[in-house]
Amino acid sequence: MTQIEQAGPTRPAQPAASVTMPIAKALNSALREAMRADEKVLLMGEDIGPLGGVFRITDGLHAEFGGDRVLDTPLAEAGIIGTAIGLAMRGYRPVIEIQFDGFVYPGFDQIVSQLAKMTARHRGRLSMPVVIRIPYGGHIGAVEHHQESPEAYFAHTAGLRVVSPSTANDAHWMLRQAIENDDPVIFLEPKSKYWSKGEVLSAPAADLHRAVIAKPGRDVTLIGHGAMVHVLLQAAQIAEREGTSCEVFDLRSLSPIDWAPLVESAQRTGRVVVAQEAPGHASVGSEVAATIAERAFYSLEAPVLRVSGFDTPFPPAQLEDIYLPDADRVLDAVDRSLAY
């Protein structure tokens, strides 16, 4: 077992000093601190300079650090990522912003064929400290290529770390941890939660790849990541009023996955529901369900159930509430699990 698998469940730490801010501002502050701490950290992306990015995540950074460290790039994702690889080979720590989730595909070959393979290709002698920030997911009423969930592509690719915060504190500290990491990190930001506020503590709640308990419970284990964690907490709150205690896990890391606390919870509750915005076929949720079924088989009282987006392209904005899982769909899965 890996070190991650040996660790027990983690609950957020509560240092005394904290400040409340939206997730977007927490990301901005993490970038600013990283750039102040290390002059080799630089930012690249479309419209991230004076404009501050479409979601204003880089607001004010161009004014503070200048155009040599906050680079407005052409609309060319393959070129952006290829350039970042070259910069990493020269000792820099580039942080790339992909403007929208669906825009990452033109740079896909550079990520999976080059960035993910470079360290292994050089037998560990060359590190690739590149962070690729991707706003992802739905609930913003946008058009095609602006509301997608591409996490499975990257979680499947050996050589990449893939993480997704759901809170302001994790957004800040996980981004700091990702930038300090010597491996390439795909950093998925749930854009529908950019303006959700939360406490940012004086220290990270957990290591970069730990799963954490967002809500303790005893009857059913609910597992999700990114914006889906908020849906699971809403469902758990409703279930509590109906007499069912749900334990909610925030995956935080999609590759590697912190299996030990998930399996322990499944063995304790005997029932598991895994939820995600992405389509269900060959997904992160599929892997979580399969692994829990394999490792906790004799403790399960019901099949591991999955709630996901449908196996179709993301629909027009008027239909997104039908496509995306909500608390009702999660509670339906909870009821089905309890009925076994």
Side-chain angles (χ1 to χ4, degrees), residues 216-294:
R218 64 178 182 278
D219 298 326
V220 183
T221 301
L222 308 181
I223 301 172
H225 60 274
M228 189 52 55
V229 175
H230 299 264
V231 174
L232 295 181
L233 288 170
Q234 181 186 8
Q237 186 177 32
I238 297 170
E240 200 82 38
R241 295 199 294 265
E242 299 173 351
T244 300
S245 174
C246 294
E247 182 153 281
V248 178
F249 263 95
D250 183 351
L251 278 179
R252 299 173 77 250
S253 176
L254 312 183
S255 182
I257 292 175
D258 187 7
W259 291 115
L262 306 180
V263 173
E264 187 278 329
S265 181
Q267 290 171 332
R268 183 162 35 80
T269 66
R271 293 177 168 83
V272 179
V273 174
V274 184
Q276 62 185 19
E277 290 191 13
H281 179 70
S283 65
V284 172
S286 302
E287 182 65 22
V288 172
T291 301
I292 289 176
E294 178 182 347

Side-chain angles (χ1 to χ4, degrees), residues 136-193:
Y136 81 116
H139 285 302
I140 67 166
V143 296
E144 185 183 6
H145 298 320
H146 293 69
Q147 298 205 102
E148 301 185 14
S149 297
E151 56 264 40
Y153 297 116
F154 303 115
H156 176 76
T157 302
L160 299 176
R161 298 175 185 264
V162 185
V163 299
S164 179
S166 69
T167 67
N169 191 65
D170 274 349
H172 178 93
W173 287 109
M174 289 174 70
L175 185 52
R176 288 295 310 273
Q177 291 166 327
I179 294 171
E180 292 167 4
N181 202 288
D182 286 335
D183 295 328
V185 180
I186 304 297
F187 195 90
L188 297 161
E189 301 168 3
K191 57 180 176 283
S192 64
K193 296 301 176 184

Side-chain angles (χ1 to χ4, degrees), residues 14-28:
Q14 294 294 329
S18 67
V19 59
T20 299
M21 64 178 69
I23 285 178
K25 189 172 181 180
L27 293 165
N28 179 275

